[in-house]
Amino acid sequence: EVERVLEIPLSYFFQSSSYAMVEIESGLGSSDSRYNMELPCLVIPDGHGNDDILWGATFNIVTNFLQIISGAALLNALELQGKKIEEAIVVVSGAGASALSCAQLYISLGVRKENLLMIDRSGVIRKDRKKIDQYKAPFATARDVRTLEEALVGADVFLGLSKGNIVSKEMVKSMAPFPIIFALANPDPEITYD
């Protein structure tokens, strides 16, 4: 299977014309990039007479680099711990653009969808939730867990992209042996490093 590659001349990034950026955005919107999962958050002219939302068209350097770095860290940490990615239980705290894109990348790297639990402000994203948007729906679980504390029991990996100080030492102790913790909330991590 051949992946479509979008080539963008570096000179586009140094032009002051907004039209150049529209060309880049429009080109990215038509590609099938498995790493660019940015939500449709901009409505800009696509350079072809349309003022529609450019689905997945925005390049957010923080989100995209976070995906790449956390994906590489996940693979390395699992290898160091002697754990198989397809057996790893992953808990993602947060359901914004970064969390959704990292979760999608983790799945493409081998995490089984049924082994990934995502938590937002309302708790674990579950299939029986009354209101769930189209971005969170693919990550909804049928598991009988409702809170972050319940989700972390026996988990191998915690990816935090939510808010600070929501994970306790007791919660970490409830995780699988040698847990992998990426506490990435900014400015305060989900759990302190000491």
Side-chain angles (χ1 to χ4, degrees), residues 22 24 30 33 43 52 56 66 71-72 74 79 81 90 95 103 113 120 124 152-153 168-169 174-175 179 184 186 190:
V22 169
I24 292 169
S30 64
S33 170
V43 178
D52 293 336
L66 181 62
L74 175 68
E79 183 179 333
Q81 297 298 345
V90 178
K113 202 174 206 176
D120 65 6
V124 174
L152 283 174
V153 174
S168 68
K169 291 179 182 178
S174 76
M175 295 176 71
L184 304 176
N186 190 8
E190 286 80 3

Side-chain angles (χ1 to χ4, degrees), residues 132-151:
I132 184 168
D133 68 38
Q134 64 186 350
Y135 308 108
K136 297 175 187 179
F139 302 102
T141 185
R143 289 185 181 200
D144 189 24
V145 291
R146 300 191 183 278
T147 66
L148 175 59
E149 186 173 6
E150 292 172 355

Side-chain angles (χ1 to χ4, degrees), residues 32-158:
D32 292 326
S33 170
R34 58 183 193 165
Y35 299 110
N36 189 359
M37 296 294 295
E38 192 68 16
L39 300 179
C41 56
L42 291 178
V43 178
I44 60 173
D46 68 1
H48 307 290
N50 299 312
D51 290 336
D52 293 336
I53 293 173
L54 295 175
W55 295 94
T58 59
F59 179 80
N60 180 323
I61 196 163
V62 173
T63 298
N64 293 103
F65 285 139
L66 181 62
Q67 282 179 287
I68 294 164
I69 292 166
S70 74
L74 175 68
L75 294 174
N76 288 331
L78 287 170
E79 183 179 333
L80 287 171
Q81 297 298 345
K83 297 181 180 188
K84 295 181 179 179
I85 194 165
E86 63 273 8
E87 296 173 0
I89 305 295
V90 178
V91 175
V92 179
S93 178
S98 293
L100 292 168
S101 61
C102 286
Q104 184 60 46
L105 177 61
Y106 287 11
I107 290 168
S108 72
L109 291 172
V111 171
R112 293 173 55 200
K113 202 174 206 176
E114 60 270 18
N115 288 348
L116 190 139
L117 297 169
M118 186 173 282
I119 293 107
D120 65 6
R121 289 182 181 116
S122 301
V124 174
I125 298 172
R126 295 175 37 87
K127 291 182 188 256
D128 61 357
R129 185 185 282 187
K130 289 189 169 60
K131 287 188 178 184
I132 184 168
D133 68 38
Q134 64 186 350
Y135 308 108
K136 297 175 187 179
F139 302 102
T141 185
R143 289 185 181 200
D144 189 24
V145 291
R146 300 191 183 278
T147 66
L148 175 59
E149 186 173 6
E150 292 172 355
L152 283 174
V153 174
D156 297 290
V157 180
F158 171 76

